[in-house]
């Protein structure tokens, strides 16, 4: 009996450890957020069956991360937003707008959004997505602050508050917003016609 216990424990110890990236969470069904993934996080990311990653930093993606994406057939969309508090608002708006267009395209799902820490830039993008989903502003701010913690930035909150969702809808001529299931939390954005011309997107 003792031998059987040792064998079970040994097998358990040899199981791979799945370590998520820092600040990892699910935003919506098939939409995830986190800080910067490292190779130790790759086995965990494999379990998500990702199609895309939205990277919100200007620095080049590490070669080891690019190799992982290629091996898993994951597409990289990079939007180089500076991590400074005094980033130009017009530049930030344009980058977030472009990132949102990629994010709400279900053909890119499952998708992971990340910056360096998964706090400010990622929080701005998710906050603007929540406005598109008609969340009340207090709930949007609460979610942002949950991930930003003591590093919460009033400039980010102000940007989210002033972000014009109507300007995004004007760019999405062929997309309609449709929810799956009455009362379901798993809200999805669907294409009305999958045969329409695909938007021009960035790849690695």
């Amino acid at each position: 009996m003792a031998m059987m216990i040792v064998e079970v424990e040994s097998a358990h110890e040899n199981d791979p450890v799945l370590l998520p990236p820092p600040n990892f969470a699910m935003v919506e069904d098939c939409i995830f957020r986190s800080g910067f993934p490292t190779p130790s996080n790759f086995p965990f990311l494999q379990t998500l069956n990702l199609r895309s990653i939205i990277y919100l930093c200007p620095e080049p993606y590490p070669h080891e991360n690019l190799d992982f994406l290629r091996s898993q057939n994951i597409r990289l969309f990079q939007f180089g937003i500076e991590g400074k508090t005094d980033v130009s608002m017009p530049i930030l708006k344009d980058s977030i707008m472009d990132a949102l267009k990629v994010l709400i395209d279900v053909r890119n799902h499952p998708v992971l959004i990340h910056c360096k820490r998964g706090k400010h830039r990622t929080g701005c993008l998710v906050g603007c997505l929540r406005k598109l989903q008609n969340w009340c502003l207090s709930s949007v701010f609460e979610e942002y602050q949950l991930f930003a913690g003591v590093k919460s930035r009033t400039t980010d909150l102000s940007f989210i508050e002033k972000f014009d969702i109507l300007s995004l809808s004007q760019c999405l001529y062929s997309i309609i917003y449709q929810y799956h299931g009455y009362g379901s939390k798993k809200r999805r954005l669907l294409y009305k016609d999958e045969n329409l011309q695909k938007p021009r997107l960035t790849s690695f």
Side-chain angles (χ1 to χ4, degrees):
M1 187 60 134
M3 182 178 292
M4 290 181 62
I5 294 175
V6 170
E7 289 177 352
V8 171
E9 290 179 348
S10 176
H12 179 72
E13 290 172 359
N14 290 331
D15 287 344
V17 177
L18 298 178
L19 181 66
N23 240 357
F24 176 84
M26 175 182 283
V27 177
E28 286 286 345
D29 187 27
C30 293
I31 300 178
F32 308 94
R33 62 178 292 170
S34 75
F36 207 109
T38 63
S40 63
N41 307 131
F42 292 168
F44 175 83
L45 295 183
Q46 284 181 290
T47 67
L48 303 179
N49 297 314
L50 296 174
R51 285 185 182 175
S52 310
I53 284 181
I54 295 177
Y55 173 46
L56 300 174
C57 302
E59 294 80 14
Y61 220 49
H63 288 296
E64 54 197 354
N65 289 57
L66 288 175
D67 290 342
F68 170 74
L69 297 192
R70 293 189 185 98
S71 70
Q72 302 299 310
N73 197 27
I74 298 172
R75 194 170 184 187
L76 176 68
F77 297 90
Q78 182 172 1
F79 302 92
I81 302 173
E82 295 288 345
K84 304 173 184 177
T85 56
D86 59 346
V87 62
S88 167
M89 287 300 108
I91 293 176
L92 179 59
K93 177 184 176 181
D94 290 345
S95 296
I96 292 295
M97 186 75 72
D98 290 341
L100 270 174
K101 293 174 188 177
V102 174
L103 180 59
I104 65 177
D105 187 341
V106 295
R107 293 172 294 185
N108 296 321
H109 295 180
V111 57
L112 172 68
I113 310 160
H114 81 82
C115 50
K116 187 175 182 180
R117 304 293 182 188
K119 296 180 179 181
H120 306 116
R121 288 164 282 194
T122 298
C124 284
L125 178 56
V126 172
C128 292
L129 172 68
R130 297 310 192 192
K131 288 189 68 176
L132 189 62
Q133 295 176 317
N134 294 318
W135 278 34
C136 66
L137 200 57
S138 60
S139 295
V140 175
F141 286 176
E142 183 179 358
E143 182 180 39
Y144 170 91
Q145 291 166 337
L146 176 65
F147 289 91
V150 296
K151 299 290 187 178
S152 178
R153 294 176 178 172
T154 56
T155 52
D156 288 347
L157 298 177
S158 177
F159 171 80
I160 295 170
E161 181 178 8
K162 296 176 181 178
F163 188 81
D164 184 11
I165 291 301
L166 291 179
S167 62
L168 172 63
S169 60
Q170 292 170 359
C171 298
L172 304 176
Y173 303 111
S174 60
I175 299 178
I176 62 170
Y177 309 110
Q178 178 179 349
Y179 292 100
H180 276 298
Y182 181 76
S184 172
K185 292 183 179 180
K186 294 182 178 180
R187 296 172 289 184
R188 298 290 298 281
L189 305 176
L190 298 179
Y191 269 80
K192 186 174 182 180
D193 184 354
E194 287 293 343
N195 294 321
L196 293 170
Q197 184 177 359
K198 293 183 180 180
R200 187 176 182 180
L201 302 173
T202 305
S203 181
F204 62 81

